[in-house]
Amino acid sequence: MTFIDGPRRCVGYKLALMELKMLLFVLIQSFVFEPLPAARIGKWNLFSTRPYLAGELYTVGSSMPLVVRPYKD
């Protein structure tokens, strides 16, 4: 709803999308994302496939705990 759509949409719509894509690219390229080493991850299919920790789906809900660390060459 921020940018609306149609002939009167926001002038900076394309610029904002490009900036968001560049930010995501830099973040994904700069970090390593891994699941917790001891976690057992399951798949829950409702409308889309969602990750959950084994045994915690009905208490915590769907979640995917990650270990995020800087990428090293």
Side-chain angles (χ1 to χ4, degrees):
M1 205 56 194
T2 304
F3 297 111
I4 306 183
D5 199 16
R8 297 182 183 196
R9 73 173 161 214
C10 177
V11 176
Y13 170 73
K14 293 286 185 177
L15 177 65
L17 283 179
M18 184 176 60
E19 287 178 341
L20 283 171
K21 289 177 183 181
M22 289 186 326
L23 177 71
L24 279 173
F25 175 78
V26 170
L27 285 176
I28 290 173
Q29 185 181 23
S30 301
F31 293 96
V32 175
F33 301 90
E34 300 172 341
L36 290 176
R40 289 186 347 190
I41 307 294
K43 294 178 185 177
W44 180 39
N45 296 319
L46 187 59
F47 296 109
S48 63
T49 303
R50 299 179 183 184
Y52 71 93
L53 289 173
E56 297 185 4
L57 177 61
Y58 298 108
T59 57
V60 179
S62 65
S63 62
M64 179 71 173
L66 293 175
V67 175
V68 181
R69 59 182 171 83
Y71 178 75
K72 296 178 185 176
D73 288 339

